[in-house]
Amino acid sequence: MNIYFFYISLFFYLLSTACYLLFLTMNRNIIEKFGHYSLFSGFCIHFLATLVRYFNAGYTPITNIYESLSFFSLCIAGFFLYLKRIYRIEIIGCIVLPILSVLLIWASTFPAEIRPLPPVLKSYWLPIHTIFSFVGNAIFFISFFISLLYLVVERGIKKKKFPSIATRFPSLETLDLINYRCMSYGFPFLTVGIITGSIWASVAWGSYWSWDPKETWSLVTWIVYAILIHNRLAIGWRGRKTAYMMIIGFFSILITFLGVNFFAGGLHSYI
């Protein structure tokens, strides 16, 4: 049943993607509203799919690539809906929704059957560690595209070569403020995810830290964002510098999340 809900949610995300791409070219509010309600419907059904899978499996469904990509996409959709409500950044849906849909299509290519949980994952730390980590990653995922957009808009302003469509993007001040919010929200989630993972590692493997590839890259990611926050608060980093550091941080997340799983293995190779 959870698979059916998953594909229904994918249908709504794709519908929302089409609407936001049309909104980009036609600039009709009615199209954006249709895209918004499609996104909201997709999010609710996606949440239901995750909930049904949780009850079917008997554990938090973030234990393999299919489940991880699906939950990651759910977090992205939820956080984007939150940002939309606060900052009125409808136009950014034409960036976030296509990528969200691609992530879910990619997830659908991996085995989706519910399998017995490996003994090491049978822990009450599973939902705590994974949910905090994935919510943090989803927030930084959106900040990555906000940062790219910031650099594009800034470059266009400096060169005075600005396509008419780009005038609908948020101002540099708004983009920088969103980046700051992402930093403020994402870093605590990332920190709690690492701490709870360390406690879980102590219980499961007898050591808080084993310098496993995923642990090492998680620490690298945390250091990148810690430097960014420190420099923003201490010496006033803004704008372009924040954008560059957000991009570097997200590449580190990509290595932690996907690169280690596919190429490095280690203690987390069951993901």
Side-chain angles (χ1 to χ4, degrees), residues 129-142:
H129 168 61
T130 52
I131 289 174
F132 273 99
S133 300
F134 276 76
V135 170
N137 288 347
I139 292 171
F140 286 128
F141 174 89
I142 290 183

Side-chain angles (χ1 to χ4, degrees), residues 183-184 187-188 224-234:
M183 189 193 321
S184 304
F187 191 70
V224 170
Y225 287 117
I227 291 172
L228 172 57
I229 290 174
H230 171 270
N231 287 353
R232 182 161 185 125
L233 297 178

Side-chain angles (χ1 to χ4, degrees), residues 205-250:
W205 301 317
S207 172
Y208 286 103
W209 201 267
S210 306
W211 295 107
D212 173 75
K214 190 176 283 289
E215 292 175 348
T216 304
W217 275 103
S218 295
L219 182 61
V220 170
T221 303
W222 187 88
I223 290 172
V224 170
Y225 287 117
I227 291 172
L228 172 57
I229 290 174
H230 171 270
N231 287 353
R232 182 161 185 125
L233 297 178
I235 58 177
W237 272 19
R238 296 286 187 279
R240 189 193 305 176
K241 289 179 180 176
T242 296
Y244 279 129
M245 286 297 285
M246 283 296 207
I247 291 170
I248 293 171
F250 184 70

Side-chain angles (χ1 to χ4, degrees), residues 2-3 6 53 64-71 107-108 110-112:
N2 68 86
I3 299 297
F6 172 87
R53 190 175 181 90
N64 54 45
I65 291 294
Y66 164 78
E67 293 173 347
S68 298
L69 287 173
S70 175
F71 188 74
S108 71
F110 290 96

Side-chain angles (χ1 to χ4, degrees), residues 43-228:
F43 172 76
C44 292
I45 297 169
H46 195 177
F47 182 78
L48 181 62
T50 305
L51 205 60
V52 170
R53 190 175 181 90
Y54 170 79
F55 285 112
N56 288 344
Y59 55 78
T60 305
I62 318 175
T63 63
N64 54 45
I65 291 294
Y66 164 78
E67 293 173 347
S68 298
L69 287 173
S70 175
F71 188 74
F72 184 49
S73 304
L74 179 68
C75 294
I76 292 169
F79 188 64
F80 180 62
L81 281 168
Y82 167 75
L83 283 181
K84 262 181 94 261
R85 183 177 178 184
I86 294 183
Y87 294 104
R88 312 302 302 171
I89 49 172
E90 291 80 5
I91 193 66
I92 295 181
C94 71
I95 300 173
V96 174
L97 264 299
I99 297 164
L100 177 63
S101 298
V102 168
L103 279 175
L104 278 179
I105 291 171
W106 188 26
S108 71
T109 64
F110 290 96
E113 68 272 13
I114 295 174
R115 291 175 293 183
L117 201 61
V120 71
L121 295 183
K122 293 178 180 176
S123 168
Y124 51 81
W125 288 108
L126 171 63
I128 302 171
H129 168 61
T130 52
I131 289 174
F132 273 99
S133 300
F134 276 76
V135 170
N137 288 347
I139 292 171
F140 286 128
F141 174 89
I142 290 183
S143 74
F144 169 73
F145 290 100
I146 293 290
S147 299
L148 289 178
L149 186 58
Y150 180 96
L151 296 176
V152 169
V153 172
E154 185 193 50
R155 183 183 175 87
I157 291 174
K158 283 186 176 179
K159 292 197 170 185
K160 298 182 180 177
K161 291 182 178 178
F162 222 59
S164 58
I165 203 169
T167 58
R168 295 168 55 201
F169 289 135
S171 66
L172 290 178
E173 290 75 16
T174 301
L175 292 172
D176 187 56
L177 180 59
I178 295 172
N179 252 345
Y180 178 67
R181 293 297 177 203
C182 289
M183 189 193 321
S184 304
Y185 297 153
F187 191 70
F189 276 100
L190 180 66
T191 302
V192 174
I194 292 175
I195 292 173
T196 54
S198 178
I199 297 172
W200 186 8
S202 172
V203 175
W205 301 317
S207 172
Y208 286 103
W209 201 267
S210 306
W211 295 107
D212 173 75
K214 190 176 283 289
E215 292 175 348
T216 304
W217 275 103
S218 295
L219 182 61
V220 170
T221 303
W222 187 88
I223 290 172
V224 170
Y225 287 117
I227 291 172
L228 172 57

